[in-house]
Amino acid sequence: MFQLLNRLNPDPILGLMSKFRADPSATKVDLGVGVFRDLSGNTPILDCVRRAEQTVLAGQATKSYVSAAGREEFNVAVEALVLGASHPARAGRRTRTVQAPGGCGALRVGAELIRAAVPTATVHVSDPTWGNHMPLLGSSGLRLERYPYYDATNHELQFEAMLERLDTAQAGDVVLLHACCHNPSGADLAAPQWQSLIELLQRRRLVPFLDLAYQGFGDDLESDAAGVRQVAEQLPEVLIATSFSKNLGLYRERVGALIVIGETEARADAAYSHVLQIARSIYSMPPDHGAAIAACILADPGLRDSWLAELAVMRNRIKAMRTLFAQHLRASTGDASYGFIENQRGMFSLLGAPATVVERLRERHHIYMTSDSRMNLAGIMPHNVEYVAAAIAAERNEATATAMIA
Ligand SMILES: Cc1ncc(COP(=O)(O)O)c(C=O)c1O
């Protein structure tokens, strides 16, 4: 059987991770993989997670199955965290939430739900977008198309072009939106832009699918969910995939959720019955341990307060690095235009360099980023920020000189 299979190239991000691990250089810098790193370069277990984990283990009486929807108290807490305690869609009993194996699991179940409901629907995905969006959604068999979102060379959101493209979508199509901290660009929509987009979605009868993987990494938990809440207040049908990989540092525990909002209670129930069947047919039930930890933190005011404090430390560390990195880039290149790195949000920004420069940064300077020049700002430390900026300046100068000669 396997003689029919050709060997595939590794996933670009996972492939980059193994190249980085194999690089013996003492000065190597990992800006590739999307995990938070503290000042020592570690991806720490949060203190609130350690404490909640002890409580979970102490209180656990069985390892028996939970359910295809996961933990009920987790699902209720997630809805409140994402939509706010008194969101009209919740008050109208139009929301249904299932725990999922990470944000990826939620995206995939959401895609299968779309396929079950409207097999002919196209999902419109931002250009650029996170490398795993296309495989996750496309594997369900749905058609995917890209809409313009961000111009990496000029470091500009392409909002007008985005609206123009979405205005040509078919009624019933789905638009995948990054709720905050856009991956890979760090460029988010402002509140008035969300509003214009909502009006277009209403007019064209398009369904938003919001990916909220970085709640709390931009400004704070509430502000980062503002776009999602605005959308969910004004549109009849919404899907939301959320994740605790980053904001609780629960990456390997696989903790996420899919929130589905229906136009009526009955339609939400019908969608929910499909979601349960989809989950059952793919992985049966989501893993429990991480969701139990998250639920414990969300329910306990003391643990929740320490989470908020730890989340602020992570967020501020990234923001501080953005400012420092932009300063060093300006100093090294003599170019005053690195404000975008300072102003963008979340872990990522696109340097806007061609793949050849990205490759030289890796081969000559041991600085690793994905080929689209996405940089994880949490991979930069006070001790290497100058090194990274100087390397970028050197390669930028060489690229400019080569272009001038050519
Ligand atoms: C934009 C985006 N969505 C979803 C995810 C899913 O994360 P996970 O499945 O690890 O929760 C990620 C993780 O990197 C992401 O960047």
Side-chain angles (χ1 to χ4, degrees), residues 149-150 181-188 322 340 343-350:
Y149 184 79
Y150 181 79
C181 307
H182 185 274
N183 179 2
S185 74
D188 287 340
R322 284 186 173 278
F340 73 96
N343 300 331
Q344 289 171 344
R345 299 152 81 252
M347 285 206 295
F348 307 110
S349 280
L350 289 165

Side-chain angles (χ1 to χ4, degrees), residues 9-82:
N9 291 326
D11 170 278
I13 297 182
L14 302 184
L16 197 68
M17 275 167 84
S18 18
K19 272 192 191 155
F20 180 79
R21 261 189 241 115
D23 184 340
S25 161
T27 56
K28 64 183 177 179
V29 184
D30 180 11
L31 308 184
V33 63
V35 298
F36 173 80
R37 291 187 198 283
D38 64 16
L39 287 171
S40 318
N42 297 321
T43 304
I45 300 177
L46 300 189
D47 189 51
C48 60
V49 166
R50 281 202 192 279
R51 286 193 282 144
E53 191 160 40
Q54 280 167 8
T55 307
V56 166
L57 291 176
Q60 202 168 61
T62 178
K63 294 281 186 192
S64 178
Y65 295 119
V66 182
S67 80
R71 285 187 170 252
E72 182 55 21
E73 77 272 24
F74 169 86
N75 292 335
V76 172
V78 169
E79 256 187 40
L81 182 73
V82 171

Side-chain angles (χ1 to χ4, degrees), residues 34 101-105 107 130 133 178 183 211 213-214 243-246 251 254-255 348:
C104 288
L107 285 161
W130 175 48
H133 270 153
H178 296 233
N183 179 2
D211 184 359
Y214 296 92
S243 161
F244 289 100
S245 297
K246 321 286 159 147
Y251 307 87
R254 313 308 299 132
V255 194
F348 307 110

Side-chain angles (χ1 to χ4, degrees), residues 103-121:
C104 288
L107 285 161
R108 181 58 193 270
V109 172
E112 296 291 342
L113 175 66
I114 296 163
R115 178 128 166 102
V118 187
T120 54

Side-chain angles (χ1 to χ4, degrees), residues 123-131 133-134 144-153 156-159 161-162 165-166 175-178 182-187 350 372:
V123 182
H124 300 264
V125 178
S126 71
D127 183 12
T129 198
W130 175 48
H133 270 153
M134 306 294 266
L144 303 178
E145 265 184 32
R146 291 179 181 274
Y147 58 84
Y149 184 79
Y150 181 79
D151 172 357
T153 315
E156 271 172 10
L157 196 72
Q158 297 175 293
F159 188 61
M162 169 182 177
R165 180 68 57 83
L166 292 178
V175 184
L176 184 76
L177 299 159
H178 296 233
H182 185 274
N183 179 2
S185 74
L350 289 165
D372 56 356

